[in-house]
């Protein structure tokens, strides 16, 4: 390698941010200021330095968190520290929407303009914000705002996320957002009103009116326990966690109490309406204190891991296979088969990747799980690692989920401190640890191979398959990659046994499913229903609009369903037979006030923005799709027919010839709107 | 004497290509099998000296049992595979991909593009005059070669040739995302401020003429570039002892570009700045000596 780093120097702040993550530079070769005689004789680095490439993304986060953007000097220093060619470092930095390589104010406001928020008035909010802060992207009054793809806060739409860089970076979620509240949060993100409890997003969850236990523990939240490898953990955890956790947590409790007391009449009542209190995946959300390991154990936590150790890895895989669990991320691949295929690979080490890059517009179930019951994910990942023979799990969390990040960090640190992660989990001689990696605003990184490239410090571009992840995944090693909801399902499987678990649901879709209901319903939120319930039953729970126009099932990559198709059973096989998909469980409800062509245009915009640009059908096809929808947004009948024919041709090529699922599904929703809803007729 | 590298013997795999049984060595690609059977499939991002990135998708073929089409350039042959290269489905995707490319980038210097567009009945104009294009001015920032990214189809070949597959210089990478993705140095700096060593191996592999020698770029601008009037002479580079083959492209008794044979076991088509660009002394005419 012949690296050339240029002359630009980092500022002291940038250097400190990178050094906090990587430790001080060992020699002038790594960017230390003083060159010693030894340095001149002995060039350290080589393979060992290059093997730290995967710290590039955390390093970019460190710079962006500290100064709000990534300067030439900062990037050059980071690249020098990690022996990454600057051109590649730049290529990675420019791949992610949350990073900027041009100067911008420390405060960045992301205002969601995606489907669910648009259905609840994000356009009005944007117009007002534009008046306050100036046009999107322009730096007015110390803050810059930008429209954002779905922030995963659809139950409280419209939503905004404020991020302020600094030594202790601050984040504030404003949802439901008004222009005034956003402006306030942008000036003082640390004073912004706390988010309601995660359980408020799950209308079925029973939120106790008062939670003395939680108030006690969370107010006393200590700083996260230092991880065994200080160089990695300290930089990631510094500032964000310690500064915010205690202040915000106490506020949260107060807010949650206020909310259950007054503002959310239906939220706590939805479960009784369902006629059962047998929530499985959500049963602890809103019930346990998400910061307390003891509380988690008191509510049945870690019983599944104990059972897993009793069964042995093969036994766990057998249970999961017999339970019929299939992936909940959208592809519905049998989890047991994936695990078995990973476990039997002769190549080592094996890795586990938890895909928590929940970015499908309208999806927020994983956020609710992670915020409301973080230890469940930690336990489930430990079980998955045990079954697949992995000793390291990467939790790839979407960058727009600050609260989930704090809660998971706390959970992992506490589990480690108690011997539930680490060299000897539960004294069983099994070593397993979890590392959180933050995404930085790229939908495509939720693709199962793009996620590997992103973790490895490369551009989050999907790889072509074969080889499949179970053979060559993360770092080229056998890897099992699972969605959050999929993993959490493993706990009830082990506790109830495969047969017990499979009794719920249908024969081809076992268990329960989380549905993210958003749009024009009375009680948006995450609903847990056994597979087999119909769309109508789900909508009844959430309070459907008077005049339903359509339901988008499965998200932007999913399909529209008509009001006369509400009896479709919400199972993988049922939706498939109806020509739709469950996808990641998005149920976006649109009433007749919605202008369908605008919704389609927004979906097309989303795919154009989020295409990685690697393959031609998707890179150019998504642009042509958007252009055509733009041309016909006010047209119908014959006037639109030519462009619809064009859309069909482009859509077919995207579906057939794109490398990954993004391009392959980018035309699904538009096609279904044309064919099933008669859009443009 | 040419050294012929011996590889371990490879087993032959039986598969069906357009209904005909064929045998191909294990580990070879569908494209290899197609070409061995005398069928050609159009390719852009595939190169004989590089591992294809399979990004352009013009080489897609239909594989029985596969939900999507498969890129022939990188899908390996498997026993019992049933492959069809010329179905309506595959032709449709190729046609649309060519339309998408030709409507967004300038394919005027891409060998084969015009023929493929005709063969597949592609109509790039049907996206309208407003269709977004990769609008970039040619970057002329050094004396040796020019980067005209309005002709770039993002095949990644230059990045691979500059990086780990050949040169290990890593002066360029893909930056940005989606339709705005571009081949770029860090912070889009001029090449003279980058790690570029001017080996020209990126120019060697570029399939569209987005990268071209300054000589060729200037002659094209002046309208004097005429490939039919050029002769090619392969010789040995005299600068050092490695013994790289040089192919001198000569027009009107002037060397206008230097390449290297891709099947040469020493260079595999790669050269260094001296072999690629250091030919001026050969034609150091009196008029150049001021």
């Amino acid at each position: 390698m012949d690296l050339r780093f240029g002359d630009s120097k980092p500022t002291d702040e940038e250097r400190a941010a990178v050094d906090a993550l990587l430790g001080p530079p060992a020699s002038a070769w790594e960017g230390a200021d003083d060159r010693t005689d030894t340095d001149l004789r002995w060039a350290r680095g080589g393979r060992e330095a290059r093997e730290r490439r995967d710290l590039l993304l955390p390093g970019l986060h460190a710079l962006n968190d500290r100064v709000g953007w990534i300067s030439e000097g900062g990037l050059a220093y980071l690249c020098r520290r990690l022996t990454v060619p600057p051109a590649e470092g730049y290529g990675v930095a420019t791949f992610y929407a949350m990073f900027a390589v041009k100067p911008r104010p420390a405060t960045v406001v992301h205002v969601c303009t995606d489907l669910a928020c648009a259905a609840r008035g994000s356009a009005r909010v944007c117009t007002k914000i534009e008046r306050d802060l100036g046009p999107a992207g322009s730096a007015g009054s110390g803050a810059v705002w930008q429209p954002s793809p779905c922030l995963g806060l659809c139950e409280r739409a419209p939503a905004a996320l404020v991020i302020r860089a600094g030594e202790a970076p601050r984040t504030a979620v404003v949802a439901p957002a008004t222009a005034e509240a956003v402006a306030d949060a942008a000036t003082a993100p640390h004073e912004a009103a706390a988010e309601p409890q995660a359980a408020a997003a799950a209308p079925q969850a029973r939120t106790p009116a008062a939670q003395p236990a939680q108030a006690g523990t969370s107010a006393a939240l200590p700083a996260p326990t230092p991880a065994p490898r200080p160089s990695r953990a300290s930089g990631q955890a510094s500032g964000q966690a310690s500064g915010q956790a205690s202040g915000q947590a106490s506020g949260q409790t107060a807010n949650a109490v206020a909310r259950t007391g007054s503002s959310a009449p239906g939220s706590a009542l939805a479960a009784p309406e369902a006629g059962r209190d047998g929530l499985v995946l959500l049963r602890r959300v809103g019930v346990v204190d998400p910061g307390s390991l003891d509380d988690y154990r008191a509510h049945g936590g870690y019983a599944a891991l104990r059972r897993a150790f009793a069964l042995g890895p093969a036994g766990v895989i057998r249970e999961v296979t017999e339970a019929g669990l299939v992936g909940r991320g959208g592809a519905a691949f049998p989890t047991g088969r994936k695990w078995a295929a990973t476990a039997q690979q002769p190549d080592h080490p094996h890795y586990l990747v938890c895909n928590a890059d929940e970015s499908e517009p309208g999806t927020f179930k994983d956020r609710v799980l992670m915020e409301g019951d973080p230890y469940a994910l930690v336990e489930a990942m430990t079980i998955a690692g045990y079954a697949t023979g992995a000793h390291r799990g990467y939790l790839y969390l979407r960058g727009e989920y600050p609260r989930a990040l704090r809660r998971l960090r706390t959970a992992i640190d506490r589990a480690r401190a108690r011997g539930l992660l680490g060299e000897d989990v539960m004294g069983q001689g099994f070593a397993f640890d979890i590392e959180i990696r933050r995404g930085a605003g790229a939908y495509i990184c939720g693709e199962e191979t793009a996620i590997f490239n992103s973790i490895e410090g490369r551009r989050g571009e999907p790889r072509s398959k074969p080889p499949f992840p179970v053979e060559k995944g993360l770092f080229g090693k056998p890897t099992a990659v699972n969605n959050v909801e999929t993993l959490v399902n493993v706990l009830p499987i082990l506790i109830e046994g495969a047969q017990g678990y499979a009794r719920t649901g249908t024969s081809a879709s076992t268990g329960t499913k989380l549905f993210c209901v958003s749009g024009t319903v009375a009680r948006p939120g995450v609903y847990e229903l056994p597979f087999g319930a119909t769309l109508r039953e789900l909508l009844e729970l959430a309070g459907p609009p008077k005049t339903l126009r359509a339901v988008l099932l499965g998200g932007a990559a999913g399909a529209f369903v008509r009001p006369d198709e509400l009896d479709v059973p919400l199972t993988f096989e049922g939706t498939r037979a109806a020509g739709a998909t469950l996808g990641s469980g998005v149920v976006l409800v649109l009433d007749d006030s919605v202008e369908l062509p605008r919704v389609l245009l927004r979906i097309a915009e989303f795919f154009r923005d989020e295409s990685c640009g690697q393959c031609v059908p998707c890179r150019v096809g998504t642009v042509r799709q958007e252009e055509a929808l733009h041309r016909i947004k006010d047209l119908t009948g014959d006037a639109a027919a030519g462009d619809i024919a064009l859309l069909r041709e482009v859509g077919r090529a995207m579906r057939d010839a794109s490398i990954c699922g993004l391009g392959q599904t980018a035309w699904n929703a538009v096609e279904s709107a044309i064919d099933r809803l008669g859009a443009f007729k | 004497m040419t050294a012929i590298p011996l590889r371990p013997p490879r087993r032959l795999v039986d598969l069906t290509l357009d209904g005909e049984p064929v045998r191909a060595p294990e580990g070879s690609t569908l494209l290899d099998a197609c070409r061995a059977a005398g069928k050609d499939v159009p390719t852009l991002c595939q190169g004989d000296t590089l591992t294809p990135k399979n990004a352009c998708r013009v080489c897609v073929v239909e594989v029985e049992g596969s939900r999507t089409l498969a890129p022939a350039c990188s899908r390996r042959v498997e026993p019992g595979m049933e492959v069809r290269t010329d179905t309506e489905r595959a032709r449709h995707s190729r046609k649309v991909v060519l339309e998408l490319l030709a409507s967004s980038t300038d394919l005027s210097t891409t060998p084969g593009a015009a023929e493929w567009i005709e063969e597949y009945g592609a109509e790039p104009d049907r996206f309208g005059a407003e269709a977004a294009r990769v609008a970039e001015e040619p970057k002329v920032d050094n004396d040796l070669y020019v980067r005209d990214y309005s002709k770039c189809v993002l095949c990644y070949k230059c990045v691979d040739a500059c990086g780990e597959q050949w040169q290990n210089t890593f002066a360029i990478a893909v930056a940005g995302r989606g339709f705005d993705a571009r081949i770029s140095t860090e912070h889009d700096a001029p090449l003279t401020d980058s790690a570029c060593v001017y080996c020209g191996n990126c120019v060697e592999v570029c399939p569209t003429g987005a990268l071209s020698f300054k000589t060729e770029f200037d002659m094209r601008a002046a309208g004097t570039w005429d490939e039919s009037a050029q002769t090619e002479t392969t010789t040995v580079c005299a600068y050092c002892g490695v013994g790289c083959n040089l192919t001198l492209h000569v027009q009107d008794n002037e060397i206008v570009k230097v390449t290297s044979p891709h099947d040469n076991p020493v260079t595999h088509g790669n050269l260094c700045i001296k072999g690629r660009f250091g030919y001026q002394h050969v034609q150091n005419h009196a008029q150049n000596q001021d």
Side-chain angles (χ1 to χ4, degrees), chain A residues 410-430:
Chain A
T410 310
I412 289 170
D413 288 341
R414 291 185 181 175
R416 193 183 290 126
R418 297 269 285 272
L420 296 167
L421 286 175
E423 285 307 304
D424 186 12
V425 176
M426 274 184 157
Q428 298 285 327
F430 168 63

Side-chain angles (χ1 to χ4, degrees), chain B residues 236-253:
Chain B
V236 177
C237 181
Y239 273 107
C240 76
V242 170
C244 300
N245 273 183
L246 302 180
T247 301
L248 307 176
H249 298 244
V250 177
Q251 181 179 337
D252 299 332
N253 214 26

Side-chain angles (χ1 to χ4, degrees), chain A residues 4 94 461 627 649 652 657, chain B residues 57 88 126 132 156 176 193:
Chain A
R4 192 176 175 283
T94 52
E461 292 169 353
E627 288 169 349
E649 285 206 18
R652 186 172 165 217
Chain B
R57 318 302 277 187
E88 190 273 332
R126 67 195 186 122
Y156 291 65
D193 290 343

Side-chain angles (χ1 to χ4, degrees), chain A residues 164-180:
Chain A
R164 173 175 288 182
E167 206 166 341
R170 298 283 179 181
T171 54
V173 165
V174 192
T178 59
E180 295 72 34

Side-chain angles (χ1 to χ4, degrees), chain B residues 138-150:
Chain B
K139 289 180 194 291
V140 189
D141 53 12
N142 66 85
D143 295 337
L144 302 180
Y145 72 101
V146 176
R147 299 176 290 154
D148 182 358
Y149 290 131
S150 64

Side-chain angles (χ1 to χ4, degrees), chain A residues 1-6 70-73 75-76 85-88 90-92 94-97 101 441-444 458-459 461-462 464-466 608-621 623-624 627 631 643 645-646 648-650 652-660 664, chain B residues 53-57 60 67-71 74-75 78 88-90 92-93 95-97 99-101 103-105 126-128 130-133 152-156 159 163-164 167-181 184-188 192-197:
Chain A
M1 257 184 173
D2 174 19
L3 301 187
R4 192 176 175 283
F5 293 101
I70 295 159
S71 73
E72 279 187 45
L75 183 69
E88 286 194 1
Y90 180 74
V92 173
T94 52
F95 188 82
Y96 296 98
V101 291
Y443 169 71
I444 189 58
R458 300 178 186 280
R459 291 163 57 79
E461 292 169 353
S464 55
K465 295 177 274 192
R608 183 210 56 200
D609 286 346
E610 298 298 336
S611 166
C612 78
Q614 191 181 199
C615 69
V616 176
C618 174
R619 179 177 75 231
V620 191
V623 174
R624 298 290 177 254
E627 288 169 349
R631 280 195 294 271
D643 275 314
L646 191 74
R648 282 189 202 282
E649 285 206 18
V650 173
R652 186 172 165 217
M654 287 200 284
R655 183 174 291 159
D656 275 348
S658 296
I659 292 180
C660 79
Q664 288 162 11
Chain B
K53 183 81 175 153
N54 68 74
C56 75
R57 318 302 277 187
V60 286
R67 186 170 47 85
T68 56
L69 300 174
S74 33
R75 178 60 66 85
E78 289 162 28
E88 190 273 332
R89 196 174 163 211
H92 172 83
S93 275
K95 176 185 88 123
V96 173
V97 163
E99 287 174 339
L100 294 173
L101 276 178
S103 64
S104 58
T105 46
R126 67 195 186 122
F127 299 112
E130 303 291 300
R133 294 188 68 86
C152 173
V153 295
L154 274 185
C155 68
Y156 291 65
V159 176
E164 61 189 8
Q167 191 62 26
N168 267 287
T169 292
F170 299 94
I172 47 173
V174 183
R177 192 168 78 190
F179 196 71
D180 299 326
S184 171
T185 58
E186 61 270 25
H187 303 281
D188 205 13
T192 44
D193 290 343
S194 77
C196 179
V197 296

Side-chain angles (χ1 to χ4, degrees), chain A residues 501-536:
Chain A
Y501 175 89
R503 266 198 290 277
T504 312
T506 65
S507 59
S509 306
T510 54
T512 60
K513 175 84 192 84
L514 298 181
F515 295 100
C516 314
V517 186
S518 63
T520 45
V521 289
R523 292 174 296 279
V526 175
Y527 288 82
E528 179 175 2
L529 292 180
F531 276 112
T534 64
L535 183 54
R536 187 183 306 280

